[in-house]
Amino acid sequence: MSTNTEFPGPVKWVDDRLGIAKIGKKNLRKVFPDHWSFMLGEIALYSFIILILTGTFLTFWFKPSMAEVEYQGSYSLLKGLHMSEAYASTLDITFDVRGGLLMRQIHHWAAVLFIAAMMVHLLRMFFTGAFRKPRELNWLIGFGMLFLGIIEGFLGYGLPDDLLSGTGLRITNGMIQASPVVGTYMNFFIFGGEFPGDDFVARFFIVHVLLIPGIILALVTAHLFLVVYHKHTQYAGPGRTQKNVVGYPLFPVYTAKAGGFFFVVFGITALMGALMQINPVWLYGPYNPAEVTAGAQPDWYMGWLEGSVRIFPGFESHFWGITLSWNLIIPALIVPPAFVTLVALYPFIEGWITGDKREHHLLDRPRDVPTRTGIGVAFITFYAMLWIGGGNDLIATHFNLSLNHVTWFLRFAVILGPILGFWIARRWAISLQRADQERLLHGLETGVIMRSPEGKYTEKHQPISTYEAYSITARDRLVPHEIGPETDENGVRAPRRALHKARAALSRFYYADAVQKPTTQEIEEAHEHAHDADEIHELTEDTETYREVTSDRS
Amino acid sequence: MSNDNLPVKPEDEHGVVEVAEPIPDPGLEPHEPRITDIDPKAADRAERQVSGMFGLATLLVLGSCVAYFAIPRDSILEFGPLSGNANNMVIGLCIGLALFLIGAGAIQWAKKLMVDEEISEERHAAHSSPQQIAEITEAFKEGAEESGFGRRKMIRNSLIGALGILGLPAIILLRDLGPLPGRALYNTIWAKGIRVVNDVTDRPIKPSDLVVGQLVNAAPANLAPLQEENASEYQNAKAKAAVIVVRIKPSEIRTKPGRENWGIDGILCYSKICTHVGCPISLYEQTTHHVLCPCHQSTFDLADSAKVVFGPAARPLPQLPLAVDSEGYLVAQSGFHEPVGPSFFERG
Ligand code: HEM
Ligand code: FES
């Protein structure tokens, strides 16, 4: 094969202007490691693209207006009814634009998937410690996208102006109104006066189709740029170190796989849009502030906020001519933002506790950092309890329980559940670590029983492969942060001693009970001991025959 | 983290952890050839499989175009549990399957036929090299020096001031997003002498229309005319004025002091707007006189001044004092004595 030093015509035209060879050289064969858990972010990205495509289709017919019209479309059950143009045009998209219902349903399913994928992606980051230096910024960017995605979905849900979406807005309006001092003002500015008014659809629309997608797009770009710049993390394994990245080249394998995966995700959302009904707004009717549908449920990602206000006991204070609605201030305005902030800042909290300032490109297995894993499970449990609270009525009716009991149970579970979850997950991780250690030091149980000349019975163990042994041990030694000497060489007391002490204590707690990987010496000792006791043997033909004898006997 | 306990001493803060301990890195596992690498026949089969998927996708895409024109837009497809608009379903099925096949084909191609040997690339630390840092610091200093930004404090401070104040119009210009709340939340269109009408039929209600145990959704008589005048005023007024009228056996009612003459023979009228966050309450249970808000299950006892018996709401539903006018219809004695709907800070 001869090497070309010149591009063919059209490519040359581009290169003369852009110098594509310079950019391409570095990136065309860029390496991406392969693992199923790395696809979660891709799903989020692809559903965002699907949202832009289907959303743009919808904008061609959707009329973001609350002007009242009489419906004259082809859905006979609502014919002649007064409704907003927004709702009427949503009905038109559904019944009179061919493929309109399909696009609406794909749009909605992709929205649900978008947020779900981002959340699971975030959990993957959390449990593998992918957020550690140098990737803290990408963690925050990801959080920003998740936050905006949820707001975006909520605004979209409000656009059709059907009974369900109006009810959701009414609830939000009531929550905003509970904010001390500024509540009523915020509401009047957002809704252009009293609820519902005739402004919000037009306002929400422009935020929904331009402002937030624009910001998300910018964040996606930054996010992907950083992934390329830092290079992808990888799981530890033979030949996969902190200093390299092993995987398939961008061109062709990764392009084919990732590109193909885009079509798979699009195909699946299209099939869902074709076959699975979602948000059948025509069944709900136009918004009417004096009506509500029973058992109304918001999209799944709003469930935890809903649950939070559902299970909080109702009390408010009245004094000095003001009202403080604790039943909303705490569960809607304090708890969710505080929880989100805590999770968002977790990388910095963990970094401070462990004092770890090094770069990490190898992912942790969740079991290898039991405390972090426990904290993650506590976060999930907290979220899950609130989420279940969002459906407390469904649970009560389905399982024939009293709503009162379900609510009281959840009030406790939301606090005790995370503690229990933390403890169980941490213990579980530690026992998995012990099992690993066991495999490493004593090999695999073969089920073969040996009798020594003295008549002692032992089980034969087979050592695991060097590759596996390396993978198990390719992780950090966990060393708690130390406070250092009380005074420095010059006898000056170290400043902020109490803080450092607290930090050291936290750090000890963080690493407490985690199984330390063995040292070279420990491994050698274990193997020698095994040989003495005849525990570890390569399985030879002899042992095979022996196995038959033993299994006959048993 | 005390550095000397680490497997490898990091030279500085950027130190990368090294983990090749206690077992030395054996290097990448040897590459296992796939069946398609060894057997040309298997490779050909894979090729046919992949191009089969792409070919089928093409047919499906064409199918979706045909379906768009061929299937009437109002035809319904009933197929077991699947039922819905046939046009949408068939177009969606064809496009969905086509997309899926294109994707699956590409992935299959990569997995079966493209070279699958993993390659390795070096990583570089995220931070700049000391030399780059020295260079950029130098360049920045030079620029800063040339601008005199650091020396001429007056310019710097006045610029910062001018830029900072720019935020002010950015906020002020949003002022006209809405009117100030004023007294809007305190008032409804209920007033003395306004008739209570059924909210579906718009007919005024007589006490004799209600039997014990009955609950009617109602509205003020002056609401309906608003709809023609101004649809958005109408919605806003309705969002606050919606009420429920209920008739309870007088012996079961526990009247709050001061409200003795607010009901008519056990007929009571309450705001329909939940005091939690404003959903219209809806489910009435006759035997207990409890009414439930479907949004977060706040439950109010209508026989006991609509006080909260369960759920996150903190206040009873406001009660509308009733009277009977000269023609025998239910009317309001006055408007509500407190703001209806969810609480707000300045409510008192
Ligand atoms: C970025 C993430 C996005 C999310 C999570 C999202 C979510 C939603 C949701 C849940 C709905 C309600 C759909 C229904 O059931 O009717 C909706 C409606 C809508 N969205 Fe989006 N959307 C996103 C982006 C976009 C973009 C980029 C556009 C346009 C360029 C768009 C245009 C629309 C329109 C016009 C509607 C109203 C149409 C209707 O209700 O039929 N969306 N969106
Ligand atoms: S709005 Fe009625 S319980 Fe929340």
Side-chain angles (χ1 to χ4, degrees):
Chain A
M1 217 166 60
S2 71
T3 326
N4 282 333
T5 50
E6 199 147 303
F7 282 127
V11 188
K12 180 173 181 316
W13 192 94
V14 179
D15 184 63
D16 285 350
R17 282 147 189 88
L18 301 174
I20 49 171
K22 277 183 275 179
I23 315 166
K25 186 185 71 181
K26 270 213 239 136
N27 293 316
L28 200 58
R29 299 281 283 176
K30 194 165 183 64
V31 171
F32 285 88
D34 210 23
H35 191 268
W36 65 264
S37 68
F38 300 163
M39 296 196 312
L40 298 164
E42 280 180 59
I43 301 181
L45 174 65
Y46 301 153
S47 23
F48 179 59
I49 298 172
I50 297 166
L51 282 163
I52 294 182
L53 294 175
T54 51
T56 305
F57 180 92
L58 294 175
T59 56
F60 296 149
W61 291 276
F62 181 70
K63 298 202 182 73
S65 147
M66 293 177 83
E68 206 181 62
V69 292
E70 208 181 290
Y71 179 64
Q72 291 302 350
S74 53
Y75 184 57
S76 51
L77 288 179
L78 296 178
K79 224 172 216 162
L81 236 64
H82 288 255
M83 56 181 65
S84 67
E85 267 196 289
Y87 184 62
S89 65
T90 305
L91 293 177
D92 289 343
I93 293 176
T94 306
F95 295 105
D96 295 295
V97 175
R98 276 173 285 184
L101 174 63
L102 177 68
M103 289 297 168
R104 261 197 64 227
Q105 298 200 138
I106 299 180
H107 194 70
H108 207 130
W109 277 119
V112 167
L113 184 68
F114 178 50
I115 293 162
M118 280 195 285
M119 270 198 202
V120 185
H121 177 60
L122 180 143
L123 291 179
R124 202 282 281 168
M125 296 299 141
F126 186 92
F127 285 109
T128 59
F131 54 74
R132 290 172 298 171
K133 187 180 168 187
R135 295 183 178 77
E136 303 96 324
L137 285 176
N138 241 2
W139 168 266
L140 291 179
I141 292 176
F143 240 89
M145 291 191 288
L146 176 58
F147 178 74
L148 289 172
I150 290 175
I151 308 262
E152 175 77 351
F154 178 74
L155 294 177
Y157 198 77
L159 289 181
D161 201 27
D162 58 288
L163 187 54
L164 205 54
S165 81
T167 306
L169 288 175
R170 171 80 245 208
I171 293 175
T172 314
N173 174 278
M175 287 179 183
I176 296 174
Q177 194 159 303
S179 328
V181 188
V182 293
T184 46
Y185 292 85
M186 280 182 8
N187 260 348
F188 273 62
F189 289 152
I190 294 172
F191 289 89
E194 281 187 86
F195 184 84
D198 56 4
D199 285 326
F200 79 77
V201 167
R203 289 181 182 178
F204 284 19
F205 178 73
I206 200 62
V207 177
H208 182 82
V209 303
L210 181 71
L211 195 59
I212 295 184
I215 301 175
I216 295 183
L217 195 60
L219 291 177
V220 167
T221 314
H223 201 71
L224 295 180
F225 171 80
L226 283 179
V227 171
V228 169
Y229 181 63
H230 290 142
K231 299 201 166 85
H232 209 292
T233 49
Q234 59 191 351
Y235 289 96
R240 291 152 215 267
T241 70
Q242 291 281 4
K243 299 204 163 137
N244 70 4
V245 48
V246 177
Y248 297 111
L250 175 63
F251 181 75
V253 174
Y254 191 74
T255 313
K257 279 192 177 171
F261 192 49
F262 166 71
F263 285 97
V264 168
V265 173
F266 204 167
I268 290 175
T269 41
L271 288 175
M272 288 167 85
L275 303 177
M276 295 157 69
Q277 189 178 74
I278 189 165
N279 202 16
V281 289
W282 60 93
L283 298 181
Y284 307 142
Y287 181 56
N288 173 347
E291 268 176 28
V292 65
T293 48
Q297 290 291 319
D299 267 353
W300 75 270
Y301 45 85
M302 304 304 289
W304 70 296
L305 300 171
E306 172 95 357
S308 179
V309 297
R310 276 191 187 195
I311 66 175
F312 204 81
F315 65 97
E316 56 184 31
S317 314
H318 310 260
F319 54 87
W320 302 332
I322 62 168
T323 298
L324 290 176
S325 312
W326 302 114
N327 55 346
L328 292 165
I329 293 175
I330 296 175
L333 305 176
I334 294 182
V335 170
F339 175 67
V340 170
T341 311
L342 178 69
V343 183
L345 293 183
Y346 183 80
F348 304 97
I349 299 172
E350 182 184 297
W352 183 76
I353 291 176
T354 59
D356 188 346
K357 295 204 175 61
R358 302 159 307 163
E359 283 192 12
H360 293 272
H361 303 291
L362 286 181
L363 295 169
D364 288 324
R365 287 192 308 165
R367 68 182 64 171
D368 284 334
V369 194
T371 305
R372 180 200 296 145
T373 303
I375 292 175
V377 171
F379 286 158
I380 295 178
T381 317
F382 178 75
Y383 183 93
M385 289 304 129
L386 291 185
W387 194 79
I388 291 175
N392 59 353
D393 53 334
L394 297 184
I395 292 178
T397 44
H398 267 270
F399 298 100
N400 241 330
L401 301 166
S402 120
L403 189 61
N404 205 338
H405 292 163
V406 174
T407 303
W408 270 103
F409 171 79
L410 286 170
R411 282 176 186 166
F412 282 100
V414 83
I415 294 164
L416 299 180
I419 299 175
L420 193 68
F422 169 80
W423 188 80
I424 292 176
R426 189 163 178 263
R427 279 288 130 201
W428 194 339
I430 292 171
S431 64
L432 286 173
Q433 276 192 310
R434 295 218 173 106
D436 275 354
Q437 193 88 336
E438 190 60 32
R439 278 164 80 83
L440 188 63
L441 295 178
H442 305 297
L444 294 171
E445 292 172 3
T446 55
V448 178
I449 307 296
M450 302 274 289
R451 212 184 92 166
S452 68
E454 303 90 65
K456 234 170 66 181
Y457 288 94
T458 45
E459 185 178 1
K460 216 172 208 334
H461 281 69
Q462 189 194 16
I464 55 175
S465 77
T466 328
Y467 294 119
E468 191 189 342
Y470 175 75
S471 303
I472 293 180
T473 56
R475 60 184 171 103
D476 282 359
R477 239 168 237 299
L478 307 173
V479 189
H481 174 73
E482 283 173 15
I483 28 179
E486 182 145 356
T487 52
D488 66 11
E489 312 93 79
N490 304 327
V492 181
R493 266 179 76 86
R496 293 191 292 175
R497 187 91 187 140
L499 189 67
H500 285 296
K501 269 196 182 150
R503 181 174 169 191
L506 276 173
S507 185
R508 274 197 304 280
F509 167 74
Y510 204 82
Y511 287 140
D513 305 334
V515 178
Q516 207 64 265
K517 67 179 178 182
T519 59
T520 319
Q521 203 187 359
E522 279 164 348
I523 292 190
E524 272 164 16
E525 272 169 19
H527 285 193
E528 254 155 47
H529 164 79
H531 277 283
D532 293 346
D534 240 336
E535 262 184 25
I536 296 196
H537 263 289
E538 300 293 334
L539 279 178
T540 60
E541 268 175 58
D542 293 358
T543 48
E544 276 307 313
T545 32
Y546 201 78
R547 187 211 288 271
E548 275 166 26
V549 177
T550 42
S551 58
D552 273 351
R553 227 191 285 156
S554 61
Chain B
M1 201 176 264
S2 61
N3 291 339
D4 40 28
N5 278 318
L6 288 171
V8 164
K9 281 174 240 90
E11 319 87 304
D12 55 0
E13 293 224 320
H14 305 300
V16 165
V17 203
E18 257 187 51
V19 291
E21 180 262 358
I23 296 173
D25 186 353
L28 283 181
E29 288 185 58
H31 175 248
E32 299 272 340
R34 297 160 297 187
I35 178 131
T36 43
D37 293 329
I38 310 165
D39 178 3
K41 278 213 198 96
D44 287 346
R45 261 202 311 277
E47 183 180 358
R48 278 197 301 277
Q49 209 182 38
V50 172
S51 43
M53 291 194 212
F54 292 158
L56 194 55
T58 313
L59 293 180
L60 282 164
V61 172
L62 291 175
S64 75
C65 298
V66 172
Y68 185 93
F69 293 105
I71 302 178
R73 63 185 78 183
D74 54 358
S75 62
I76 300 293
L77 191 76
E78 300 269 3
F79 192 75
L82 291 179
S83 72
N85 179 291
N87 188 297
N88 269 293
M89 263 161 97
V90 177
I91 294 177
L93 264 174
C94 289
I95 295 185
L97 280 175
L99 290 167
F100 186 88
L101 285 171
I102 293 174
I107 293 173
Q108 188 72 347
W109 179 13
K111 282 196 157 168
K112 288 268 164 81
L113 294 169
M114 291 184 186
V115 172
D116 81 329
E117 230 160 317
E118 290 191 300
I119 57 176
S120 164
E121 193 175 62
E122 293 234 326
R123 274 182 204 282
H124 308 285
H127 61 94
S128 329
S129 71
Q131 197 198 343
Q132 287 164 324
I133 295 175
E135 278 169 15
I136 190 79
T137 319
E138 199 45 50
F140 180 78
K141 267 200 199 134
E142 217 173 291
E145 196 58 38
E146 285 171 12
S147 74
F149 196 73
R151 249 177 309 125
R152 304 199 185 276
K153 296 243 158 57
M154 196 149 71
I155 292 190
R156 188 190 67 188
N157 294 347
S158 52
L159 176 62
I160 292 175
L163 291 178
I165 207 82
L166 268 182
L168 208 55
I171 294 170
I172 288 186
L173 282 170
L174 293 177
R175 164 63 189 84
D176 280 343
L177 274 176
L180 295 183
R183 301 290 297 172
L185 293 176
Y186 294 80
N187 307 318
T188 67
I189 57 171
W190 284 106
K192 185 171 160 65
I194 303 261
R195 278 188 182 161
V196 180
V197 300
N198 182 306
D199 89 334
V200 182
T201 60
D202 276 342
R203 270 210 287 271
I205 301 171
K206 277 191 177 153
S208 54
D209 295 340
L210 291 165
V211 298
V212 169
Q214 197 179 355
L215 180 142
V216 173
N217 291 311
N222 52 351
L223 179 66
L226 262 181
Q227 181 159 26
E228 297 307 314
E229 279 168 39
N230 183 332
S232 113
E233 281 298 315
Y234 166 77
Q235 289 281 58
N236 292 354
K238 191 173 188 179
K240 286 187 298 183
V243 290
I244 46 177
V245 183
V246 63
R247 183 161 199 165
I248 301 171
K249 213 184 272 170
S251 61
E252 288 170 7
I253 298 177
R254 296 168 58 188
T255 311
K256 228 176 160 176
R259 295 189 182 178
E260 289 82 4
N261 64 347
W262 285 20
I264 311 287
D265 299 336
I267 297 178
L268 304 172
C269 181
Y270 295 100
S271 164
K272 192 181 177 185
I273 309 303
C274 184
T275 57
H276 182 224
V277 283
C279 285
I281 49 175
S282 69
L283 306 169
Y284 183 55
E285 207 184 51
Q286 259 185 40
T287 43
T288 54
H289 327 294
H290 288 177
V291 65
L292 176 95
C293 175
C295 285
H296 315 104
Q297 290 84 42
S298 288
T299 310
F300 305 86
D301 185 353
L302 297 187
D304 193 0
S305 310
K307 74 164 196 213
V308 184
V309 290
F310 177 76
R315 273 185 299 111
L317 298 169
Q319 187 176 352
L320 186 76
L322 289 181
V324 177
D325 68 6
S326 53
E327 294 172 50
Y329 290 110
L330 289 175
V331 294
Q333 276 184 36
S334 68
F336 283 101
H337 291 198
E338 56 181 318
V340 302
S343 294
F344 50 97
F345 181 73
E346 55 273 41
R347 187 178 182 280

